[in-house]
Amino acid sequence: MASSSEYQALYRRYRPQRFDELRGQDHVARALKNAVANERIGHAYLFSGPRGTGKTTTARILAKVLNWEATVDGEPCCTCSSCVAVQSGSSFDVIELDAASNRSIEDIREIIATAALGSPGRHKVYILDEVHQLTAPAAAALLKTLEEPPSHVVFVLATTDPEKVPETIRSRTQHLQFHLLPVDDLEKHVKWVASDAGIELDERGLESVLRQGGGSARDTLSALELLAATGGALDESTPVDEFVEALIDHDAGRLLAAVAETVYHGRDPRSIVDDLVRHLRDCFLTQMAPELVQVQQHRAEALADQSRRLGTARIVKIIETLGTALLEMRGAPDQRVILEVALVRLVHRQLDTGLDGLVHAIEIGADA
């Protein structure tokens, strides 16, 4: 087996270099390729979507296309000096800024000052990541540049929260939305990457990698990289099935043992709650909208079974209780105690001080 060092940065190693290599974003690739082929490139784009779905990667592909003289069907060659420079991050035609750390008006003024200057290539491309984090003065300065951009300049603004981008900026861009990848597409991609990189991947490891990736190509390959580095021993830390089975059986001791085991393996209480809520949401969706559940088929069947045995009303109650526990954990001296009390209340209704607990107490009194 190859050393783990050979698997470092799998996402960078297998990052798409052409539009037709983008997975799950066919609508974006098609729109940009058509714009290039028809010579209708906009002066500003807004790429929005969840993290790890290819926004910055797509911006770099666009930068390669804009600075290569002989595009074929709107695709870059990936071999000329300009393409190689963009891929390596050494191109003078591409300026990347993280707006989370370069968010002041001084940073934007620097862009404005250099935008009008010449560039070795045909276009100068500015890629601003997390643009929604710009300060109000910085956003106002950027808006002025977007209103009257130099003809050779193209802005690509990327964000995970487009609603926080000022409407005045959004209205001056072409907005393309990126989506989380369907589990089937990710499964095929992970299997191909594992095979190509020589990573041993069994069914349990594949399921774990896909679950941790959550539809993000970058997060999924990061999970695969961790699996490779640990020799196939990928510990998800939160055994959600164990927690759910204990909730179904109303077994408080089993729940507390699961908490102890999970915390022992390094998972903090807030992360445990996050994992449980995410899992229970999938259980809920199997009843309300099964098509929205992005898991492998055999996993979907297991979720449906758990959902049936818990019941919709109880799933909602558990999610609400865990949500309250998350709020109570803020500033709590011992978050584990908050979690343990919440879980015990969920299986011992006589400890519930809310409306459900009152109804249960009345029912007991009526039967007495």
Side-chain angles (χ1 to χ4, degrees):
M1 182 176 179
S3 65
S4 61
S5 62
E6 295 183 33
Y7 305 133
Q8 291 178 359
L10 279 178
Y11 183 70
R12 289 196 298 272
R13 178 177 172 184
Y14 291 96
R15 178 182 290 155
Q17 302 297 339
R18 297 163 49 89
F19 287 129
D20 59 13
E21 294 176 0
L22 289 171
R23 293 183 175 272
Q25 316 299 340
D26 294 344
H27 59 296
V28 174
R30 183 167 54 251
L32 292 176
K33 287 174 66 174
N34 287 340
V36 172
N38 296 321
E39 298 184 353
R40 294 179 179 174
I41 294 295
H43 71 273
Y45 292 89
L46 177 63
F47 292 172
S48 69
R51 68 180 191 182
T53 49
K55 298 184 294 296
T56 305
T57 294
T58 302
R60 295 191 186 110
I61 296 174
L62 179 60
K64 287 191 290 188
V65 171
L66 293 179
N67 285 292
W68 185 43
E69 295 290 345
T71 58
V72 178
D73 296 327
E75 292 281 11
C77 67
C78 299
T79 57
C80 68
S81 58
S82 176
C83 287
V84 171
V86 175
Q87 289 172 195
S88 64
S90 60
S91 174
F92 292 106
D93 301 316
V94 182
I95 296 90
E96 294 189 34
L97 282 178
D98 180 3
S101 54
N102 299 275
R103 59 197 299 266
S104 70
I105 189 171
E106 287 77 15
D107 296 313
I108 298 302
R109 281 174 175 168
E110 184 177 346
I111 291 177
I112 295 173
T114 60
L117 300 178
S119 180
R122 292 185 300 156
H123 291 88
K124 181 178 287 187
V125 181
Y126 288 90
I127 302 173
L128 276 66
D129 201 12
E130 297 302 340
V131 71
H132 66 274
Q133 295 196 37
L134 288 175
T135 62
L142 176 61
L143 174 62
K144 183 174 179 59
T145 307
L146 293 179
E147 289 174 338
E148 300 176 1
S151 60
H152 67 289
V153 171
V154 174
F155 285 93
V156 180
L157 315 179
T159 179
T160 54
D161 197 344
E163 295 305 315
K164 290 185 179 179
V165 178
E167 176 60 30
T168 50
I169 288 180
R170 276 188 289 163
S171 65
R172 287 166 174 78
T173 65
Q174 294 185 27
H175 189 182
L176 297 176
Q177 296 176 298
F178 289 66
H179 307 148
L180 290 172
L181 274 68
V183 67
D184 292 342
D185 288 353
L186 268 180
E187 182 176 350
K188 294 176 183 177
H189 187 52
V190 168
K191 286 181 177 178
W192 175 78
V193 170
S195 175
D196 189 71
I199 300 173
E200 295 181 7
L201 183 66
D202 57 19
E203 192 62 31
R204 179 176 175 274
L206 174 63
E207 180 180 325
S208 179
V209 164
L210 292 174
R211 185 180 303 133
Q212 291 197 39
S216 163
R218 183 175 64 216
D219 290 354
T220 301
L221 292 187
S222 293
L224 178 62
E225 183 179 342
L226 178 59
L227 182 142
T230 57
L234 187 60
D235 184 7
E236 288 186 82
S237 298
T238 303
V240 289
D241 288 334
E242 176 67 12
F243 279 92
V244 172
E245 291 300 325
L247 288 167
I248 291 172
D249 295 338
H250 291 81
D251 191 335
R254 188 175 174 184
L255 280 170
L256 295 178
V259 171
E261 180 70 13
T262 308
V263 171
Y264 173 79
H265 282 95
R267 202 72 167 162
D268 66 273
R270 288 187 64 87
S271 297
I272 294 173
V273 174
D274 287 340
D275 293 341
L276 286 175
V277 169
R278 189 180 303 112
H279 179 82
L280 289 164
R281 173 183 177 272
D282 284 340
C283 288
F284 176 77
L285 288 177
T286 59
Q287 294 189 356
M288 300 295 106
E291 69 278 4
L292 298 179
V293 181
Q294 292 293 318
V295 295
Q296 294 170 286
Q297 181 60 37
H298 73 278
R299 189 61 185 164
E301 294 171 357
L303 286 170
D305 178 63
Q306 290 179 346
S307 177
R308 176 184 55 78
R309 288 185 289 148
L310 275 172
T312 304
R314 191 156 180 237
I315 292 173
V316 172
K317 174 64 177 177
I318 294 172
I319 292 176
E320 289 177 341
T321 301
L322 292 176
T324 300
L326 271 180
L327 294 176
E328 293 176 353
M329 285 179 183
R330 296 177 180 176
D334 191 339
Q335 296 181 348
R336 178 172 173 178
V337 172
I338 302 296
L339 173 59
E340 291 174 334
V341 170
L343 291 173
V344 171
R345 279 180 174 170
L346 285 168
V347 295
H348 284 292
R349 295 185 63 179
Q350 65 270 27
L351 298 178
D352 191 345
T353 57
L355 181 60
D356 285 352
L358 178 60
V359 172
H360 182 61
I362 292 173
E363 290 172 348
I364 293 176
D367 294 338

